[in-house]
Amino acid sequence: MQFLKWEDGNEYDGSQINPSWAFQEFNVKDSTIVSWVGPMNILGDNLIDYEDVGLDITGNKMLHFIVEHFDEQPGNLKLAYHRQRMLVMIMRDKLLDYGIKTTQDGDDIFIDNGKLSVSIATASISAMKIHFAVNITKKGTPADVNVASLEDNGISMDDVYELQDKVANTYIETIETIMKDITKTKVF
């Protein structure tokens, strides 16, 4: 699995959740975790969560992660959601390193009652995909949502980039150690 950093400033519009996006964008033939800092503006055609239809899903500055796994065909939606929750828990664990205590409800992270993250998992015939992002700022987020942000909790941009690396590398390490555990386990 490869960790790729996309140029900061690129907008997440929902199209990046499409199958083989990293191959099309970066010509990488592997499972990937792609991360960048940029805005989010999900258009109606790219909404894949039925609960979000008709909602504005926006933010001026977020830390994004797009994960794509090709280790099971067809893609397993249940496994994609398990991996999504694992990514959420890794982020929560790494935020503790900065003294930020969070709570979790499903795939959402909260600081006090403010929603810090957005996320979706999906599967296709060839892969499993996850989009996960945390608010760096509250600017540009929907007015009707109580939002939390990293900057309001003392996280600098240097910290954001450090967090980006820690989360992505821990996710890869966790996936790799699971695969190694599978290969060393006697099955009946």
Side-chain angles (χ1 to χ4, degrees), residues 69-86:
H69 288 277
F70 293 97
D71 57 340
E72 191 165 324
Q73 285 79 37
N76 182 322
L77 189 57
K78 185 185 287 186
L79 180 57
Y81 272 104
H82 278 266
R83 288 174 172 173
Q84 176 203 45
R85 297 304 197 279
M86 187 175 71

Side-chain angles (χ1 to χ4, degrees), residues 119-143:
S119 189
I120 190 69
T122 189
S124 70
I125 195 72
S126 63
M128 293 167 279
K129 295 285 297 259
I130 301 164
H131 172 248
F132 175 67
V134 293
N135 297 311
I136 295 172
T137 181
K138 291 180 183 178
K139 294 174 186 162
T141 59

Side-chain angles (χ1 to χ4, degrees), residues 13-14 18 42-48:
D13 63 10
N18 291 330
I42 302 177
L43 307 173
D45 290 345
N46 289 322
L47 281 171
I48 59 171

Side-chain angles (χ1 to χ4, degrees), residues 11-27:
E11 178 180 87
Y12 178 79
D13 63 10
S15 65
Q16 297 88 348
I17 201 76
N18 291 330
S20 298
W21 171 77
F23 173 71
Q24 294 169 23
E25 187 68 32
F26 304 104
N27 199 31

Side-chain angles (χ1 to χ4, degrees), residues 44-115:
D45 290 345
N46 289 322
L47 281 171
I48 59 171
D49 189 332
Y50 290 121
E51 290 182 342
D52 294 337
V53 172
L55 297 178
D56 291 331
I57 304 180
T58 59
N60 285 3
K61 194 173 193 181
M62 303 183 80
L63 173 59
H64 297 275
F65 296 90
I66 292 283
V67 179
E68 186 165 29
H69 288 277
F70 293 97
D71 57 340
E72 191 165 324
Q73 285 79 37
N76 182 322
L77 189 57
K78 185 185 287 186
L79 180 57
Y81 272 104
H82 278 266
R83 288 174 172 173
Q84 176 203 45
R85 297 304 197 279
M86 187 175 71
L87 182 59
V88 168
M89 287 186 275
I90 289 168
M91 176 61 78
R92 290 187 64 209
D93 184 55
K94 297 307 173 191
L95 286 171
L96 276 174
D97 293 345
Y98 299 91
I100 299 175
K101 294 180 182 177
T102 62
T103 57
Q104 181 177 344
D105 183 10
D107 59 10
D108 294 322
I109 297 175
F110 293 85
I111 298 175
D112 297 322
N113 291 321
K115 190 170 187 280

